[in-house]
Amino acid sequence: MKKVLFILMLITLLSLPIIAQTYQASKVIDGDTIELSNEEWIRYIGINAPELRNGIPDPYSQEAFEANRNLVIGKEAYLEFDVQERERYDRMLAYTYFDDLFIYTWLVENGYTQIMTIPPNVTYQDLLLELQTKTREENRGLWAFNEAKANQEKPQFPYIGNKNSKKFHHYFCGSVGNMKEKNKVFFLSREDAIEAGYIPCKRCKP
């Protein structure tokens, strides 16, 4: 009888998700990446948030970052691994739980991320796709963002230079808003700006 119980316990343990040692979420990098208290970076598997640190932040990236931070910072993270445990940037890949919250479903349901399935890590692909389909139909979160506004037609002069700094920017760069009108120089193309002796802005990378 004891032998039978031992075998049943062993089968149960083997069927459970692979859970790593738990650590606190000490820092949020963006909407889909966190840093643990052991300094490991965790990249959520199967979802992708708008880029926060890629020159000009993507629309809705700040909202995704703040939602992730408010949910997880200071909480214990439970990690469930799929086929691959790390990606090319050496970040750990894991399905991440905080108490009884499966962070993936919440972020997708509320429109802060969209699914990005990369085989062979496909355990929750169907679940996340079903949630995303519903969120898109209900026009929530990033799906409600006005794409027409985000991709508005470029003005006549899409590049703007600063006479003082001798740098040029995309018309939507935040630096343009801080520029005095008398210091603005308008260019039709980046080639025109470079030929005029202006250098590209390191922030918006025109």
Side-chain angles (χ1 to χ4, degrees):
M1 183 66 179
K2 288 183 179 180
K3 185 175 181 181
V4 173
L5 287 173
F6 174 77
I7 293 173
L8 289 173
M9 287 176 62
L10 181 61
I11 293 172
T12 302
L13 289 172
L14 290 174
S15 66
L16 292 174
I18 302 173
I19 305 295
Q21 185 174 352
T22 61
Y23 294 92
Q24 280 192 340
S26 61
K27 183 179 180 181
V28 170
I29 309 304
D30 54 27
D32 56 38
T33 306
I34 62 173
E35 182 178 330
L36 300 181
S37 53
N38 65 345
E39 299 186 349
E40 282 275 14
W41 281 32
I42 304 299
R43 174 65 166 85
Y44 299 157
I45 308 175
I47 61 175
N48 188 48
E51 291 292 338
L52 182 64
R53 295 173 174 81
N54 185 22
I56 298 298
D58 290 342
Y60 224 71
S61 59
Q62 186 65 32
E63 290 85 346
F65 164 76
E66 291 176 0
N68 193 19
R69 180 181 61 186
N70 292 338
L71 285 170
V72 310
I73 201 71
K75 295 182 179 179
E76 292 288 328
Y78 299 83
L79 310 178
E80 177 187 347
F81 298 108
D82 209 318
V83 177
Q84 297 172 323
E85 291 190 14
R86 290 190 182 270
E87 40 94 278
R88 57 179 177 168
Y89 300 113
D90 202 39
R91 295 177 296 187
M92 293 184 72
L93 296 170
Y95 301 108
T96 313
Y97 301 80
F98 297 89
D99 296 327
D100 59 348
L101 174 67
F102 187 31
I103 188 69
Y104 293 74
T105 55
W106 193 95
L107 290 173
V108 172
E109 275 185 301
N110 289 277
Y112 290 105
T113 63
Q114 55 186 313
I115 66 170
M116 186 181 71
T117 304
I118 301 178
N121 305 312
V122 297
T123 299
Y124 294 105
Q125 174 181 335
D126 293 340
L127 169 63
L128 295 175
L129 180 58
E130 181 180 345
L131 292 173
Q132 178 172 286
T133 300
K134 182 180 179 182
T135 302
R136 290 189 68 175
E137 290 173 350
E138 295 176 355
N139 207 32
R140 281 187 279 151
L142 61 87
W143 305 109
F145 189 82
N146 189 336
E147 292 188 9
K149 183 177 179 181
N151 300 308
Q152 59 186 311
E153 187 179 353
K154 288 184 179 180
Q156 182 181 1
F157 298 98
Y159 300 95
I160 300 175
N162 187 322
K163 289 180 181 178
N164 288 336
S165 67
K166 287 295 180 180
K167 292 181 181 178
F168 72 97
H169 315 260
H170 282 298
Y171 70 95
F172 52 74
C173 180
S175 298
V176 174
N178 299 323
M179 202 183 300
K180 293 181 179 180
E181 287 298 321
K182 66 178 183 179
N183 292 329
K184 292 181 180 179
V185 182
F186 299 91
F187 300 102
L188 286 170
S189 68
R190 70 186 311 275
E191 289 75 18
D192 290 343
I194 292 172
E195 287 181 7
Y198 286 75
I199 60 176
C201 167
K202 291 183 178 179
R203 180 184 177 191
C204 67
K205 300 177 181 177

